[in-house]
Amino acid sequence: MEDRPGDFLIYAGIAIDGTRAMDLSREIDAIRANLNVPREYRLKFNPGPEGFSHEQFIELKRQVIDATVRHEVKLLGYLVLHDIATNPDEARRNGINTVCFHFDCLLNRLNETGLVLIDRFNDAGNQIEAHLAEKFSVGLVGMPYAAEVPMRRIVGYHYSAIGQSHFTSLIDVIVGSFRFAINAHCRNVQQHRQSANNILQAISPLFVRNNAGGAVSELGLIFSPKIIRVSGYRSKYQDLKDFLEAAGIPTEQQITDQRMY
């Protein structure tokens, strides 16, 4: 959540099929046991377990991401340039709005219902409490084309934290990896380019696509705002879109300075 000009704030969620959740959790148990991960270690993108080499930690994260792909977990992402976002807390609340709305849309397509678990954090004034209550009781408010948009497929919004399930670790590893790859591009860190490309290829199957092998839909990854008037900012978005496409993550959304009809 570092507010750094030229970087992108990334907020994302993963959608896990309830019928596969136990098998995925047990597979992660097995991965941890096979790699001798200490029981008390709480898996995150960083830091790794005490005593693990850099290579051992990368292998742990690689196996966990591979398991996530095998269990057909879906990734829903939101990107906004820090130069455009007003502040990280508000940008994160906007990210929650978008990811929850896209999750509700995905549930509607699948004719399913779902539960939202949000990584606990404290923003200024603890506005997140009322924000989540509003999501449940009302839905989205103040949208461009409707005053209120209910999310009827989501049955609840709850806090969680690293160590309370494997799934909170999954999202931290996946989003942390995605952020690392994007930062390598935005900051032009040449020594991380190959690692960034490897990461993007590994997580590419997680993104929601309308057609297998096709471009990532806006439910899977959305660039915010959808209309970017400032040419310098627009070029940063287009550069990132091109970078992702070159790594195997083409996106349907067009980077534009005008409304698309």
Side-chain angles (χ1 to χ4, degrees), residues 13-228:
I14 50 175
I16 302 170
D17 185 341
T19 64
R20 306 187 69 159
M22 180 59 76
D23 288 340
L24 174 56
S25 185
R26 286 176 174 167
E27 185 165 347
I28 296 172
D29 282 333
I31 291 170
R32 290 177 62 108
N34 291 338
L35 296 179
N36 297 313
V37 177
R39 184 169 60 181
E40 67 276 9
Y41 170 67
R42 296 181 179 182
L43 176 59
K44 300 184 68 175
F45 175 71
N46 265 326
E50 185 176 354
F52 266 46
S53 68
H54 180 64
E55 290 72 22
Q56 287 176 305
F57 188 37
I58 288 176
E59 178 62 17
L60 169 59
K61 291 187 284 188
R62 185 194 65 78
Q63 290 193 26
V64 166
I65 290 174
D66 287 350
T68 308
V69 172
R70 282 194 298 275
H71 286 275
E72 299 182 356
V73 171
K74 299 303 179 186
L75 179 60
L76 311 173
Y78 166 92
L79 296 168
V80 61
L81 191 67
H82 272 293
D83 304 75
I84 295 176
T86 53
N87 64 68
D89 283 343
E90 184 171 343
R92 180 157 44 182
R93 289 192 294 271
N94 290 338
I96 289 171
N97 284 345
T98 300
V99 170
C100 288
F101 176 60
H102 287 180
F103 180 47
D104 188 70
C105 292
L106 181 62
L107 290 170
N108 189 58
R109 290 184 181 184
L110 299 172
N111 194 29
E112 296 281 0
T113 56
L115 185 70
V116 172
L117 301 176
I118 289 181
D119 189 16
R120 188 175 184 89
F121 68 93
N122 292 316
D123 57 355
N126 200 27
Q127 295 182 55
I128 185 60
E129 294 278 0
H131 190 67
L132 294 183
E134 182 181 73
K135 295 288 131 324
F136 178 70
S137 61
V138 179
L140 301 177
V141 299
M143 302 300 289
Y145 305 111
E148 298 178 358
V149 179
M151 291 182 283
R152 304 189 186 283
R153 294 283 178 171
I154 297 174
V155 298
Y157 302 80
H158 300 278
Y159 283 131
S160 188
I162 299 291
Q164 295 176 358
S165 78
H166 289 315
F167 305 139
T168 47
S169 291
L170 282 182
I171 188 62
D172 195 273
V173 168
I174 292 168
V175 174
S177 300
F178 191 36
R179 182 179 293 113
F180 174 89
I182 288 179
N183 286 346
H185 165 72
C186 293
R187 300 176 186 179
N188 195 29
V189 184
Q190 291 300 319
Q191 64 266 35
H192 291 164
R193 282 284 182 169
Q194 187 57 54
S195 295
N197 192 63
N198 293 342
I199 286 170
L200 294 176
Q201 290 181 5
I203 68 174
S204 175
L206 297 172
F207 285 103
V208 175
R209 291 170 164 85
N210 292 323
N211 301 295
V216 176
S217 77
E218 290 190 20
L219 293 187
L221 187 63
I222 188 166
F223 300 92
S224 178
K226 299 189 73 171
I227 301 171
I228 306 167

